[in-house]
């Protein structure tokens, strides 16, 4: 760890509670339209459930890079239609605003203090599928004290594409071995490790993306494991 | 100003006192080697005086993008030779460390508080010839509370090349009209304005780069003018 200078953080699920935050916004949306027969959590999970299917063509080079604003908006329309809510019955701008719920996700309770403590000894930065502007808006909303932000639009690639990890290391002028990814998801940690980065696993209840295939978790495979970001700060700052 | 979301800051000279900070490091270097016949400020000004000549071929596409670490190191050797101090008589690593003085420049006294206040209402970010890692190290050293950092290595271009300003606007997903450059140097403000950005001038004594041609200052040409960053915060936050 003495050789690690930079901590990259997965954001969606690891630093912020996307599921709870979006469910709140969806609930308010359904209430505003007097739709009581649809469960907000079910609609949220369906919405996010389209995530991987929408991103995969970009990962495979079959679609040019498209930011989460567009992806989330497209998926919202698909999802509303699945619930027999034709998107055209809603105001265009209202659906835009609902899509932008991803810009103001709330952090897990340990996130701000944990990152603040880690910042004392490391460069801390999100490395997210979110684009730069989304991550800036989220940081201002949630008071996340990043040193730098790496949006997917900077590398024009989505994780776990190697380019996502390596582009950030290049901009920081470090070898991948001097960086570590902090994440709640195995597929992301595996992507980072295959590029040479160190890995730290932080479990998050309901942090999983329902669009991912659910394999057995692999928490013992990673370099470090901590219950949350405060515990990770205690662990990593001690050995720095 | 209601339409401006983002404030970009020139760094070298505008936010940090490069001349004072580097002179201190040069003074310590000369003392360590018992060199008393050379004035630290003269050597600093000569060193920085090579800046434009070294950057110009990159601006013109005659040299591929090269970061300030390399430029400053090359210029330091040229400069030492001019003072009859052959670079080979010094330890290679010591010259590297002296070159890295640019990573830990000290802020002007109003900078941290001024930027903190502006951050309440705007996205605040450096837009500098410094590369990303240099700007991150400087922010950690000087406690500059940026929302985002735009290093010259991200756009692979040096100001006043239009690409430097437009690339940052693209990543923030804004039209240039929704951004403003804050700078102490006319050539930089002119570059920003020609791309459609708003402009704010902050005068800095000894902030000028001795490698620039000195034209008559043009403070009245810019959209806003303030004595320092605290005064700028009072001005811009009021009309937001």
């Amino acid at each position: 760890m003495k050789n690690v200078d930079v901590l990259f953080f997965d954001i969606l699920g690891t630093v912020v509670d996307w599921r709870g935050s979006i469910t709140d916004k969806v609930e308010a949306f359904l209430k505003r339209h007097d739709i009581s027969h649809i469960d907000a959590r079910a609609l949220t999970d369906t919405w996010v459930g389209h995530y991987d299917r929408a991103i995969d063509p970009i990962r495979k080079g079959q679609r040019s890079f498209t930011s989460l604003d567009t992806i989330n908006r497209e998926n919202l329309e698909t999802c509303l239609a699945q619930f027999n809510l034709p998107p055209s019955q809603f105001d265009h701008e209202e659906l835009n605003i609902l899509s932008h719920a991803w810009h103001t996700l709330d952090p897990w309770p340990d996130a701000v203090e944990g990152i603040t403590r880690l910042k004392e000894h490391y460069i801390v930065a999100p490395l997210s599928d979110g684009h730069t502007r989304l991550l800036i808006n989220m940081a201002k909303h949630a008071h996340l004290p990043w040193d730098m932000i790496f949006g997917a639009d900077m590398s024009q690639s989505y994780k776990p594409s190697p380019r996502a990890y390596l582009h950030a290391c290049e901009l920081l002028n470090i070898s991948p071995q001097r960086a570590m990814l902090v994440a709640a998801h195995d597929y992301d940690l595996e992507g980072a490790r295959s590029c040479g980065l160190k890995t730290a696993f932080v479990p998050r209840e309901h942090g999983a993306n329902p669009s991912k295939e659910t394999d057995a978790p692999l928490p013992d495979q990673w370099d470090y494991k901590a219950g949350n970001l405060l515990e990770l700060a205690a662990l990593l700052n001690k050995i720095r």
Side-chain angles (χ1 to χ4, degrees), chain A:
Chain A
M1 272 309 293
K2 283 195 170 55
N3 295 326
V4 167
D5 300 320
V6 178
L7 300 179
F8 293 124
F9 292 77
D10 171 59
I11 298 302
L12 303 172
T14 301
V15 169
V16 298
D17 171 20
W18 68 264
R19 202 174 214 159
S21 304
I22 294 178
T23 302
D24 290 348
K25 298 271 169 65
V26 167
E27 201 158 25
F29 171 81
L30 293 173
K31 201 167 184 176
R32 206 156 49 237
H33 293 280
D34 286 323
I35 302 167
S36 56
H37 67 287
I38 294 174
D39 178 57
R41 174 152 295 218
L43 198 146
T44 299
D45 276 6
T46 301
W47 184 9
V48 184
H50 287 285
Y51 184 89
D52 248 21
R53 220 168 316 158
I55 297 287
D56 256 349
I58 302 171
R59 290 193 184 110
K60 290 175 180 157
Q62 295 160 346
R63 182 179 181 181
S64 62
F65 182 81
T66 308
S67 83
L68 282 196
D69 278 353
T70 303
I71 298 292
N72 288 334
R73 183 65 160 79
E74 291 172 356
N75 288 348
L76 176 60
E77 295 206 9
T78 308
C79 162
L80 290 172
Q82 280 178 280
F83 281 80
N84 293 313
L85 300 171
S88 58
Q89 83 179 56
F90 302 99
D91 179 62
H92 186 82
E93 187 55 22
E94 189 185 6
L95 295 189
N96 279 345
I97 290 170
L98 182 53
S99 275
H100 276 69
W102 298 66
H103 289 232
T104 54
L105 303 177
D106 294 323
W108 295 107
D110 53 280
V112 172
E113 183 58 27
I115 293 163
T116 301
R117 291 185 196 173
L118 286 162
K119 183 176 176 162
E120 291 169 24
H121 295 282
Y122 303 92
I123 291 172
V124 293
L127 184 62
S128 170
D129 281 354
H131 47 291
T132 306
R133 183 60 187 269
L134 179 153
L135 295 170
I136 291 172
N137 289 351
M138 184 191 291
K140 286 182 96 77
H141 164 77
H143 304 289
L144 297 165
W146 303 122
D147 288 311
M148 173 63 190
I149 281 176
F150 294 99
D153 49 342
M154 287 167 63
S155 65
Q156 299 272 302
S157 57
Y158 282 105
K159 297 186 292 183
S161 304
R163 181 88 195 123
Y165 309 97
L166 296 177
H167 179 261
C169 291
E170 283 167 25
L171 271 180
L172 289 175
N173 209 12
I174 51 163
S175 69
Q177 290 74 25
R178 299 190 72 90
M180 183 186 293
L181 179 73
V182 180
H185 315 123
D186 291 322
Y187 82 97
D188 197 1
L189 293 167
E190 185 56 50
R193 181 167 58 186
S194 72
C195 290
L197 285 80
K198 300 270 191 314
T199 52
F201 176 76
V202 177
R204 294 295 195 189
E205 207 187 344
H206 306 308
N209 179 333
S211 77
K212 302 281 178 201
E213 302 292 329
T214 50
D215 293 320
L218 308 166
D220 296 336
Q221 296 212 352
W222 313 119
D223 296 315
Y224 296 90
K225 184 189 170 186
N228 59 41
L229 295 181
L230 288 168
E231 291 181 22
L232 189 69
L235 181 64
L236 297 188
N237 284 350
K238 196 170 58 187
I239 52 181
R240 171 72 169 175

